[in-house]
Amino acid sequence: MLSNSVSVPSSSFVLEVNFVTEPITQQRASTADITELLGSMRFAISLLVFICIASIIGTVLVQNEALNVYTDQFGPFWTTLFDKFTIWNVYNSWWFLVIMGFLVASTTLCVIRNTPKMLRESRTFREHIRGSSLRAFPHRIDISSSHIPKENLPAIESWLKAHNYAFKVREDEDGSYLVAAKKGGANRLGYIFGHVAIVVICIGGMLDSELPVRLQVWFGNKAAITENMFISEVPESGRLSLANPSFRANMLLPDDTRSSSAIISYGDGVLIQPLPFVLHLKRFYIDYYSTGMPSSFKSEVEVIDEERGERFSQLIEVNEPLRYRGVTVYQSGFDDGGSRLTLSAYPLQGKDYEPVRFKATVGEGQSVIYNSSGESVNATFTELRVFNVEDLTDGAPQPKAFVDHVAAVSGSNVRPKDNLTNVGPSVLYSLTDKQGQSFDFVNYMVPMTLDDFPVFLLGMRRNQADFFRYVRIPADAKNSMEEFMMLRAATEDPEALRLAAQRFAQRSGQIESNSLMEVAAFKTIETFMKKGFNGIIEPVPEHERERILNLTVPMLQMTLLELRNIAREKHGLEAVDYSGERGAHEEEWVQLALLAFANMPDYPAPVVFKLDSFDQVQASVFQVSRSPGMYIVYTGSLFLVIGVFVMIYIRDRRIWVWVRPGEKGSLLTAAMTSQRRNLDFQQEFQRFQQAFERLSENRGNEHV
């Protein structure tokens, strides 16, 4: 068969072998280099440095806030830059998880490579060492003995046993003996446990991060839901597996409702996480301090497990969660569960003043018609606050953060200031204009007394980062804002304005029609109602503006007095008597109405919603989690404690004693070593040296 084979010249064969094997050799070299890099201590320390820096960022910078909060803090440029690295959610950012993965790989490779060597090292006695090499040890003793080599062994072995050394004796052909002893070999286990602890803790941390959810999205054809829909309508692509090993989700349950699904925020949308049981909220309880801060809140729930046929009730409180089938349900907060509202829509434009009454639900949006012409606005009612304790020092509710701060520094059960007042229920809603811009509004249900006069407060802000600014609407004799709205509608009627200006001129002594005073009053109030005080003073030189205001404000006030009575007469009401006992009160009502009209041009809505009644529906907010990584982290922490304890309190020691024949007996050379040659080692070596020197009967020849 060999004779029939094709012969290949040796040079060609060599070239072909080189062509095939050279890439393989380079690939193996590259793999070896990568493996060496991953398993090196410098690489692991570099990764630890990055993790420490990321942990500092995650500790110093408040995480998971709204993006506009960071924009206000850092500015648009830095916010955009930082957002690319997701520093607002450091521990779930892609780069942090990548670093953690490399650290796990590096440490695991280090453990795999070094554990067998460390275990062998801890078991071996190193009895094959050459006796002459002991002279190179820094901690060495040389003595002589009159006994033959073998007779020195019992004393040496006795001392080693007394000090808990394990030893092995090697006998050489020349009649010499080498005693190799060791103790504290378990010290090597400390390094192993310490490195394994890092791997276990990192794996536990990654398991409890967003990584399991991301893996399902990447490889399980899952996609976040970005549209509004019922949970029952969510497609399979928006639902995670029931066997999802780790998740952290939220669940909002209104009173007397049940659910078996939680919601996980992911990117710009959400994912639905099924639960292995149904959670039924039977009742939600909440108590308040006198400051308006919640003193306690808890949920009475019923767990229904149809698969196992189990059903039981439990009370969930803060720090007292429900644990069942590997899922933990925490009481994290409370919210509105869809309270039913009855409201009145007062138009701020046109001649209509009577309110349009309608019903709404908190958390839902709807189109609201607010006048007889059928005009409408898109409104979303976001919150019903039944209990509002506000600070009225400056004549208007202060930001809620103020009350929170007072409660934090003085104790939530302490009334921090006498001017904190429960001002009653309020409703928060947002309106979206035709350009798609949204504004937030808050209106209180009942009037509150500010500066000794009852007023309705209409709050407004452009975004959630701003504080509310308020317009005061004076309450009428029926504690409503109907008379103010009737007066506002009258300002839209040119004939009523002209008649009010005429009556003002007549009271000022100018009886003739179209007098200069009448024309001035008409033009002034007409301009004021459209543009406020700015419309009056803008055409005037700056140095004349104060004088003009001093003239026009009394004119406007007196004209409004007349316009108010004209509106009342038109609707069959008695005229207001400003000279009686309530005259001062009624004049103050007109003054406050004048200030309200001055602020109306800046009020970004054509309608005001007033809360008439409500049926509150409370909801409990739960955080639902499955965290097997928590127990893994606990295990890793236990390994770390064991490793540190072993490395600190178990000290490795090795002793070699070389006993060889001498001219008048035997010569002995002993050496001691340790990984950590600290003060304790020095003291132990001195004790060993003193005991070893007792073997010598000839002290003069100790250091031969």
Side-chain angles (χ1 to χ4, degrees), residues 465-587:
D466 296 337
F467 293 139
F468 280 104
R469 296 181 294 114
Y470 294 92
V471 176
R472 298 186 186 186
I473 302 296
D476 55 27
K478 296 185 294 185
N479 277 334
S480 72
M481 60 175 71
E482 289 188 9
E483 187 165 0
F484 174 84
M485 294 300 173
M486 184 173 62
L487 179 60
R488 183 215 59 79
T491 63
E492 300 277 350
D493 185 358
E495 294 300 325
L497 287 179
R498 193 175 301 278
L499 180 58
Q502 182 181 359
R503 289 186 181 182
F504 163 71
Q506 291 174 354
R507 287 183 181 273
S508 301
Q510 298 190 15
I511 303 176
E512 64 274 11
S513 179
N514 293 325
S515 64
L516 182 62
M517 183 70 72
E518 177 184 340
V519 173
F522 175 76
K523 292 295 185 182
T524 300
I525 194 170
E526 186 180 45
T527 303
F528 172 77
M529 295 308 301
K530 293 179 180 179
K531 300 181 180 180
F533 285 118
N534 290 333
I536 296 175
I537 63 174
E538 280 179 356
V540 180
E542 187 171 354
H543 66 278
E544 292 287 333
R545 290 180 178 179
E546 184 175 356
R547 185 179 66 85
I548 294 299
L549 284 177
N550 291 334
L551 293 173
T552 56
V553 170
M555 180 188 298
L556 286 170
Q557 184 174 338
M558 296 301 294
T559 306
L560 278 180
L561 289 175
E562 300 298 337
L563 184 63
R564 181 186 182 190
N565 279 334
I566 292 172
R568 291 177 64 88
E569 293 169 4
K570 180 179 179 181
H571 295 91
L573 302 175
E574 293 183 359
V576 177
D577 184 7
Y578 295 100
S579 61
E581 294 181 357
R582 287 182 53 86
H585 179 85
E586 298 298 341
E587 287 185 2

Side-chain angles (χ1 to χ4, degrees), residues 71 90 124 172 199 209 218 278 348 407 441 476 480 492 612 616:
T71 303
V90 168
T124 183
D172 295 332
V199 175
S209 67
W218 294 339
V278 176
L348 296 179
F441 301 88
D476 55 27
S480 72
E492 300 277 350
D612 295 329
Q616 185 185 21

Side-chain angles (χ1 to χ4, degrees), residues 186-195 639 642-644 646-647:
N187 177 270
R188 307 278 181 175
L189 296 177
Y191 293 93
I192 297 174
F193 272 98
H195 285 75
F639 284 174
I642 294 174
V644 172
V646 169
M647 285 189 288

Side-chain angles (χ1 to χ4, degrees), residues 63-64 86 88-98 100 202-219 222 224 240 244-250 263-271 273 626-629:
Q63 301 285 286
N64 299 315
T86 325
W88 331 120
N89 191 8
V90 168
Y91 304 111
N92 285 310
S93 61
W94 62 268
W95 55 269
F96 185 82
L97 294 176
V98 169
M100 289 279 284
C202 290
I203 291 176
M206 288 192 296
L207 187 59
D208 278 355
S209 67
E210 290 183 355
L211 186 59
V213 175
R214 292 186 181 185
L215 291 176
Q216 293 183 65
V217 172
W218 294 339
F219 303 108
K222 303 296 182 181
L240 298 175
N244 188 4
S246 175
F247 60 83
R248 190 176 302 275
N250 293 302
I263 296 175
I264 298 176
S265 297
Y266 186 84
D268 296 330
V270 297
L271 294 166
Q273 175 60 57
R626 178 180 285 156
S627 305

Side-chain angles (χ1 to χ4, degrees), residues 402-419:
F402 170 83
V403 180
D404 296 344
H405 173 71
V406 171
V409 299
S410 61
S412 294
N413 59 340
V414 178
R415 190 179 183 86
K417 283 192 176 183
D418 292 336
N419 52 4

Side-chain angles (χ1 to χ4, degrees), residues 348-360:
L348 296 179
Q349 299 172 356
K351 297 181 180 181
D352 291 338
Y353 79 94
E354 293 184 352
V356 177
R357 289 178 171 81
F358 66 99
K359 296 183 181 297

